[in-house]
Amino acid sequence: MRYSKIVGLGHHVPETVITNEYLSSIMDTNNEWIIERTGIQERRYIDPTKDTVANMAAKATRMALERANLTEKDIEFIVFATITPDYFFPGSGVLLQRELGLESIGALDIRNACSGFIYALSVADQFIKSGMYKTILVVGAEIQSTAIDMTTRGRNTAVIFADGAGAAILQPTDKPGILSTHLHSDGRFAEELYVRDPGSSRPREERQPEQILDTTHFKVVMNGSQVFKHAVVRFMEVINEALTANNMTKDDIDLLIPHQANLRISQFIQQKLQLPDAKVYNNIMRYGNTTAASIPIALSEAWAEGRVKDNDLICLAAFGSGFTWASALIRW
Ligand code: COA
């Protein structure tokens, strides 16, 4: 039987550190509130004069390739998860293909927000298992800082979201590998966490310059308490679904890497599963919520710190806009 496994991991975060103190100096918020409600101490923002989603993804990819002892030329297909592409279209996959100097390989974009990386991993896993490709690059990368409302009006999301990129290289193996992936959505809650515009269903006459500047364009709308309530339920459901599908229990997990939405959400799941600190990886304190990039950044850092070892059972889980939620169980 053919399975897929992750043979290389990489990440890139921008140099500029944005502290809670800095945010408190430009909007009505404070360090205590942010830490108590989100656990975030600092996050990274790009330099818009030189960074793009695609070039951050390329940096993460090069780290993953080096660690896997591979080169750009080995990549046969790209699956790129982002909700903040450099252009409205085309997607970021083709920009990454260009950035990596690859000729004409396929590139697919995934727009499943915080669950995007696990959706992308699942797609790549199917392509490897079917025998269609032997080396697939899976990326999650986001630039949120250029669109965040950095005034008091936007404070409930400005303190949370940030920039970064993570990459994983998948190849076939005859024993797992990726044991299973589980993907879900519930569009009834689409508007609980969303960006309305530039949406194509908006009539032309409503696209006036003052509306573009002041209202819905790139403005993240989030019903924080609804998101929190659903997240804690869906995270648990989808982790348990993965364990049940593989005849395992929570005690089999060596490391849980939850999407870095909010430290309070991660701690709630940890408590529910009664996992010790050593079995849960969080880095939201340093990077904020980087949406589709959060899991591959965390996985890459955890691996580099020696917390992801051969034969370990790794559980990835995510919840976010859509709502969408997903999990993956991986035997390393
Ligand atoms: N700084 C200071 N005060 C803030 C603030 C900020 N950055 N953001 C909101 N507030 C204020 C609100 O205005 C409100 O004030 P009021 O009581 O005077 O009206 C008060 O804090 C409580 O607001 P509320 O939205 O009820 O806070 P909360 O306890 O629900 O916490 C979140 C807000 C966003 C931290 C919380 O809902 C949350 O973590 N939700 C999940 C978000 C998430 O994970 N998103 C990513 C999903 S992938």
Side-chain angles (χ1 to χ4, degrees):
M1 176 113 180
R2 188 175 159 112
Y3 297 94
S4 65
K5 66 173 177 185
I6 295 175
V7 296
L9 289 162
H11 67 281
H12 172 78
V13 290
E15 277 167 32
T16 308
V17 176
I18 304 293
T19 61
N20 292 344
E21 285 72 22
Y22 171 73
L23 293 179
S24 309
S25 73
I26 58 168
M27 66 183 77
D28 182 11
T29 188
N30 58 77
N31 185 43
E32 294 68 37
W33 193 97
I34 300 171
I35 290 189
E36 190 194 313
R37 309 288 174 119
T38 72
I40 300 167
Q41 292 165 13
E42 58 187 41
R43 70 286 288 141
R44 305 292 182 101
Y45 286 0
I46 58 137
D47 173 351
T49 63
K50 56 176 196 223
D51 298 318
T52 67
V53 169
N55 77 24
M56 284 202 304
K59 287 176 189 163
T61 299
R62 291 197 177 103
M63 183 190 283
L65 286 169
E66 200 182 315
R67 286 170 169 177
N69 228 350
L70 297 170
T71 71
E72 281 90 341
K73 300 282 174 253
D74 293 307
I75 299 168
E76 295 174 355
F77 191 72
I78 296 171
V79 190
F80 199 130
T82 185
I83 48 162
T84 54
D86 290 309
Y87 301 143
F88 186 65
F89 75 83
S92 294
V94 299
L95 301 181
L96 179 58
Q97 173 260 329
R98 181 174 72 186
E99 192 89 26
L100 294 173
L102 294 170
E103 265 177 44
S104 74
I105 63 162
L108 172 70
D109 281 60
I110 302 264
R111 286 173 49 87
N112 287 74
C114 301
S115 308
F117 181 78
I118 299 181
Y119 268 75
L121 195 69
S122 180
V123 169
D125 182 40
Q126 312 314 314
F127 275 139
I128 297 264
K129 283 199 288 211
S130 74
M132 186 153 171
Y133 296 115
K134 287 194 298 295
T135 305
I136 301 183
L137 168 62
V138 182
V139 169
E142 307 280 3
I143 293 177
Q144 324 214 50
S145 61
T146 50
I148 284 172
D149 179 350
M150 299 291 279
T151 68
T152 298
R153 189 180 58 176
R155 66 182 178 176
N156 72 322
T157 54
V159 301
I160 293 177
F161 294 109
D163 308 339
I169 314 277
L170 263 68
Q171 286 192 327
T173 167
D174 51 10
K175 62 177 175 48
I178 295 178
L179 295 167
S180 64
T181 54
H182 306 269
L183 312 177
H184 296 281
S185 71
D186 190 343
R188 287 177 301 166
F189 301 99
E191 288 80 17
E192 300 294 350
L193 174 52
Y194 83 131
V195 172
R196 172 68 183 85
D197 291 307
S200 49
S201 58
R202 175 77 73 196
R204 182 187 300 266
E205 53 278 11
E206 283 185 25
R207 294 183 193 278
Q208 301 306 315
E210 61 278 12
Q211 286 167 323
I212 289 174
L213 284 178
D214 190 47
T215 57
T216 56
H217 269 71
F218 299 113
K219 179 178 167 32
V220 181
V221 175
M222 179 175 77
N223 182 342
S225 58
Q226 273 287 90
V227 172
F228 200 105
K229 242 171 41 196
H230 286 261
V232 290
V233 173
R234 296 307 194 182
F235 262 112
M236 289 306 299
E237 273 179 18
V238 82
I239 292 168
N240 284 326
E241 181 184 2
L243 292 170
T244 305
N246 291 283
N247 288 320
M248 291 176 180
T249 73
K250 55 138 183 115
D251 297 324
D252 293 307
I253 296 175
D254 291 298
L255 191 67
L256 169 67
I257 301 187
H259 159 56
Q260 301 293 290
N262 178 318
L263 191 60
R264 301 292 159 249
I265 294 176
S266 296
Q267 287 170 334
F268 182 92
I269 306 161
Q270 176 177 352
Q271 206 176 17
K272 277 270 176 200
L273 290 169
Q274 294 179 301
L275 294 175
D277 289 350
K279 288 193 170 192
V280 183
Y281 193 85
N282 289 305
N283 61 9
I284 190 169
M285 306 73 91
R286 289 178 284 126
Y287 299 140
N289 178 338
T290 57
T291 310
S294 97
I295 289 180
I297 294 173
L299 189 54
S300 174
E301 283 202 339
W303 178 86
E305 289 169 22
R307 291 183 63 181
V308 176
K309 300 178 294 301
D310 280 357
N311 217 34
D312 276 357
L313 185 73
I314 310 299
C315 180
L316 311 179
F319 176 88
S321 169
F323 292 145
T324 59
W325 59 103
S327 63
L329 263 193
I330 306 172
R331 178 66 70 193
W332 210 261

